[in-house]
């Protein structure tokens, strides 16, 4: 500073070095702001990575939930198909019969339409009493009753993979025929 006047630029960021470090050498102080900025960048980067992971997991969970519902509907379609095959309301499959019919070919793999077509559907049927039994129905009075256990399994993807979806529905269907009833259905 010169004779009593103040430096208009404020104190100098340059500080003389201690004795013995070189003639007239000066060093700039600082570095704390750089460390704070670096820390802030690391914390913000970690937060962005965490938020991205959470978002991706939420989207994947939502997509699997939709596929799960589709799988359920595919299995339900298999149960409805089997019910129609067994009950044969128009006598178009088994014709006019006075005894409940046997199961359809089991397991069967009906084809599904639309978005459900991506699912593999397997429908199986077990008849009680078996069709080869004698008599092959439960009889109460003149009524002939048969019970069918139907299992429909819809699956998509590779078992063990993260996107694998499988839904299975089981139903029990009872059918009754009255040989003394009116044709063509002979319903109880």
């Amino acid at each position: 500073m010169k004779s009593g006047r103040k430096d208009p630029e404020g104190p100098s960021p340059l500080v003389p070095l201690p004795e013995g470090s070189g003639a007239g050498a000066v060093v700039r102080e600082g570095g704390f702001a750089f460390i704070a900025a670096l820390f802030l960048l690391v914390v913000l980067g970690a937060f962005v990575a965490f938020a991205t992971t959470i978002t991706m997991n939420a989207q994947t969970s939502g997509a699997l939930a939709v596929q799960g519902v589709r799988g359920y509907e595919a299995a339900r379609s298999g149960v409805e198909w089997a019910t129609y095959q067994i009950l044969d309301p128009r006598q178009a499959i088994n014709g006019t019969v006075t005894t409940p019919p046997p199961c359809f070919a089991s397991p069967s793999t009906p084809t599904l339409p639309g978005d459900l077509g991506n699912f593999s559907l397997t429908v199986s049927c077990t008849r009680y009493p078996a069709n080869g039994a004698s008599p092959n129905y439960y009889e109460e009075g003149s009524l002939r009753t048969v019970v069918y256990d139907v299992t429909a399994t819809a699956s998509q993807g590779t078992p063990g993979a993260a996107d694998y979806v499988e839904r299975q529905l089981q139903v029990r269907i009872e059918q009754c025929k009255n040989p003394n009833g009116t044709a063509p259905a002979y319903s109880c």
Side-chain angles (χ1 to χ4, degrees):
M1 291 205 184
K2 296 183 183 175
S3 62
R5 291 194 322 179
K6 290 190 174 182
D7 189 0
E9 297 175 7
S12 171
L14 301 177
V15 177
L17 287 175
E19 295 289 326
S21 56
V26 287
V27 71
R28 187 173 184 94
E29 285 186 359
F32 177 76
F34 174 73
I35 293 173
L38 186 61
F39 176 76
L40 188 61
L41 283 175
V42 169
V43 169
L44 286 176
F47 175 74
V48 168
F50 174 75
T52 302
T53 302
I54 294 296
T55 302
M56 293 300 290
N57 286 343
Q59 288 176 350
T60 302
S61 296
L64 281 175
V66 168
Q67 286 301 91
V69 170
R70 286 181 180 159
Y72 171 80
E73 292 302 328
R76 188 169 158 223
S77 296
V79 166
E80 290 177 10
W81 176 85
T83 302
Y84 185 84
Q85 300 297 310
I86 292 168
L87 297 181
D88 190 16
R90 297 183 186 161
Q91 291 78 40
I93 299 169
N94 300 309
T96 302
V97 291
T98 58
T99 302
C103 279
F104 49 85
S106 183
S108 291
T109 54
T111 305
L112 295 168
D115 287 340
L116 299 181
N118 296 329
F119 283 87
S120 171
L121 177 63
T122 304
V123 183
S124 62
C125 176
T126 306
R127 183 181 192 268
Y128 298 101
N131 205 42
S134 179
N136 65 351
Y137 48 82
Y138 300 111
E139 191 166 24
E140 188 175 327
S142 64
L143 304 180
R144 299 172 177 175
T145 304
V146 173
V147 176
Y148 302 88
D149 281 339
V150 174
T151 303
T153 306
S155 61
Q156 181 185 37
T158 305
D163 62 345
Y164 180 68
V165 175
E166 178 178 296
R167 296 294 182 268
Q168 185 177 75
L169 293 178
Q170 296 177 329
V171 296
R172 182 165 284 166
I173 302 167
E174 180 181 352
Q175 186 180 36
C176 179
K177 293 282 188 176
N178 182 355
N180 301 323
T182 35
Y186 294 102
S187 297
C188 291

